[in-house]
Amino acid sequence: MSIQSELMRRLYWHRGVQNEQELDYSLANLLNPEGLYNREVATEIMTQAILEGNRIVIVGDYDVDGATATTLGLRVLNAFGANDVGYIVPNRFKHGYGLSKEIAIDVLDENPELVVTVDNGISSIEGVKILKEQGVKVLITDHHLPGNNLPEADAILNPNQESCQFGSKNLAGVGVMFYLLIMVRRELIKNGWFEVSGLEPPNLANFLDLVALGTVADVVPLDRNNRIMVSQGLSRIRAEKCCKGILALLEISNRKPEKASSMDLAFAVAPRLNAAGRLENIRIGIECLLANSDEQAREYATRLDQINKKRRDIEKSMKDDALKIIGDLSPSDFIGSNSDPELMQKICLYDAKFHQGLNGLIAARMKDLTGLPVVVFSQLEDGNLTGSARSIDGLHIRDLLDRISCKSPGLIHRFGGHAMAAGLTIQQGQFERFRYAYWTEVEAYLNEYGDGETVETDGMLHAHEITLDNADLIAGVTTWGKSFPVPTFFGRFYVQQAYVVGKHHLKLRLAVKGRKAPVDAIVFNIVEEGEKAPPLREIEAVYRLEINEYRDNKRLQLIIDHFTQV
């Protein structure tokens, strides 16, 4: 890929890309699986199960990463000629997360000879024990951070194991499964399996649409290896050589497949799939991705869209309740706060009305608003509390929970997660105790490292760079995402006109010094219904260059993420 634009050279440099070769996303540059720890054992277990015609059951997860990893496993194993493959995914309201005791018992009803977890299992000590006691082989594929004790599975494939030498620690769960299937395909060819079965070895690159979707949706860092898989998957989606479910979800979201980008996967496709796991059952999403006909895929996509609309309504209600608790709160309130109990309750939220499927979304919204790590709890049927935490850059939330667990044994029933997101379960009677322990750790971090209230941008643009052409160049990059963020800029503008559109959005007409023509801008979801546009004269803003396309007419528009009056 040749970088013709000086602006694009700057943007890539800011993201650690130092030469054009790093933007070569051909599959030849994909990392070799040889560095994966336990790869030989994991490959042998899966290969042997296929050769012997064993009953294989995939245990998935109820988010998009888990759904795509499950779908990938089912589709590829069927293409391999494995004729006895099933799947089961936890219902978050009944089973909890991952290969829990409850889901392990249900799995046994499927009469498995091999259980393969995807996007879960690294902390499933009890669930694995139940299966092993019944003579079931267990192969764990996961990417979550391992704890001090690992389940006694037959093999664990996880790039975040301490002994793993794989070149990237950032694979999503679907990425780990993809690598396992690469190795199994190779082994099946060596064994002459495809010749005997009369099958053509499938080209696994044709399944990268699922890998791209799961990788983007799980918000893992888009290092070069992940960008290769996302880019390759998106190229297949753009050519409509992908699963019908993704095309149906793009269609119902009013997105064009031929222009699909990582942003479309993140903000159009993924939320509709996730909604099923949050409110009902992710099986609806998996069946959408498995659909073999356009009609069937559209039926599932329509159902997912309806669930997502319901999710939005519940989320708004929860967000309003959470805002009443939090009020006006910023990280600086914590520094030197001397154990203020009012602050303590504002970053650890619980309400009996909260819907557990949306805890993570609300925690993320409150984190974004306050700049603080927030955990949101709701109540389970057994009376215990389940929580989702979302963190800020620099504060490793899973490690924070681990510190609490070590200092207060028994306080947390179980937990797991990443640097930026984690889940946990506690007894209801332990809520105030946990709240104090959590707040103590957060306060200690902020007192040591400061409030961290910064908004990183790619700097200021010259007037001649605020153009439709540059917006088009940025839009042409399909792989923006975590650790490879969409370019944002900082600037000062004079406001010529401001008015409300769509009840909640602020439309602006901005004058740019050194630019003859004014430019349109919009700030989403900033106006309460019924409010008028605020009087604005001059603003400083963090913004993105976007293309506003209407009836094939393209115009430049700035999407303003933050602004202040000057």
Side-chain angles (χ1 to χ4, degrees), residues 30-40 43 157 163-167 179 182-183 186-187 190:
L30 199 65
L31 286 174
N32 194 294
E34 299 307 318
L36 284 164
Y37 181 64
N38 278 340
R39 64 188 179 279
E40 297 94 345
T43 303
L157 200 66
S163 301
C164 190
Q165 301 299 313
F166 186 68
Y179 268 91
I182 288 174
M183 295 184 290
R186 185 185 302 167
E187 199 63 25
K190 285 182 182 178

Side-chain angles (χ1 to χ4, degrees), residues 193-437:
W193 166 257
F194 293 109
E195 293 178 1
V196 172
S197 304
L199 297 171
E200 192 70 28
N203 182 353
L204 296 191
N206 293 332
F207 299 91
L208 281 168
D209 56 328
L210 294 166
V211 181
L213 173 56
T215 299
V216 169
D218 215 48
V219 203
V220 293
L222 292 187
D223 59 16
R224 188 190 184 197
N225 201 59
N226 278 339
R227 293 201 304 276
I228 290 172
M229 292 190 288
V230 170
S231 177
Q232 290 288 331
L234 281 166
S235 70
R236 285 156 178 78
I237 293 171
R238 287 182 162 201
E240 298 191 23
K241 295 179 179 179
C242 61
C243 71
K244 296 181 182 298
I246 291 178
L247 293 176
L249 287 166
L250 285 168
E251 179 184 348
I252 207 161
S253 308
N254 296 315
R255 308 294 175 103
K256 297 178 180 179
E258 65 270 19
K259 296 183 178 180
S261 70
S262 57
M263 297 298 101
D264 294 313
L265 299 184
F267 298 111
V269 178
R272 287 167 171 79
L273 289 167
N274 263 329
R278 295 184 188 281
L279 299 187
E280 296 189 15
N281 195 309
I282 194 62
R283 290 186 68 96
I284 302 170
I286 293 172
E287 292 301 321
C288 180
L289 297 176
L290 289 171
N292 290 318
S293 70
D294 293 334
E295 182 181 5
Q296 189 180 42
R298 288 193 186 102
E299 287 178 4
Y300 280 118
T302 300
R303 176 66 180 139
L304 290 168
D305 190 56
Q306 292 168 346
I307 298 171
N308 191 49
K309 290 174 180 175
K310 180 181 177 183
R311 186 270 303 170
R312 288 175 182 166
D313 292 339
I314 298 173
E315 182 186 349
K316 184 181 184 304
S317 176
M318 282 182 67
K319 182 180 177 181
D320 291 343
D321 290 338
L323 286 172
K324 291 175 185 176
I325 299 172
I326 284 181
D328 295 324
L329 181 64
S330 71
S332 59
D333 295 327
F334 268 73
I335 299 176
S337 62
N338 297 319
S339 303
D340 186 337
E342 186 177 345
L343 293 176
M344 178 174 66
Q345 69 180 5
K346 290 185 174 184
I347 61 167
C348 187
L349 311 178
Y350 165 67
D351 190 306
K353 301 190 299 292
F354 283 172
H355 191 295
Q356 71 179 83
L358 301 186
N359 285 347
L361 278 179
I362 298 304
R365 300 288 188 265
M366 297 303 103
K367 181 265 295 183
D368 291 341
L369 284 172
T370 65
L372 291 162
V374 176
V375 58
V376 175
F377 282 96
S378 59
Q379 192 167 11
L380 296 168
E381 290 183 2
D382 61 9
N384 289 329
L385 303 184
T386 179
S388 292
R390 296 295 182 269
S391 195
I392 56 177
D393 287 336
L395 177 55
H396 197 300
I397 196 68
R398 187 205 168 277
D399 286 356
L400 182 147
L401 295 177
D402 192 36
R403 288 196 297 275
I404 294 174
S405 183
C406 291
K407 292 177 182 179
S408 305
L411 176 56
I412 302 177
H413 178 54
R414 61 185 177 210
F415 69 94
H418 303 284
M420 301 299 291
L424 69 156
T425 304
I426 63 173
Q427 292 181 351
Q428 186 175 30
Q430 298 288 341
F431 177 67
E432 291 299 334
R433 186 179 166 212
F434 173 83
R435 174 186 267 172
Y436 179 78

Side-chain angles (χ1 to χ4, degrees), residues 442-493:
V442 172
E443 184 189 37
Y445 173 84
L446 292 174
N447 281 327
E448 181 174 357
Y449 296 103
D451 61 26
E453 273 196 303
T454 59
V455 177
E456 293 187 3
T457 75
D458 289 287
M460 299 185 73
L461 289 180
H462 298 291
H464 70 270
E465 294 178 311
I466 303 177
T467 64
L468 183 63
D469 286 343
N470 278 334
D472 201 41
L473 285 172
I474 291 170
V477 177
T478 62
T479 53
W480 303 121
K482 175 73 173 178
S483 299
F484 202 76
V486 174
T488 57
F489 308 98
F490 172 80
R492 177 176 287 201
F493 306 95

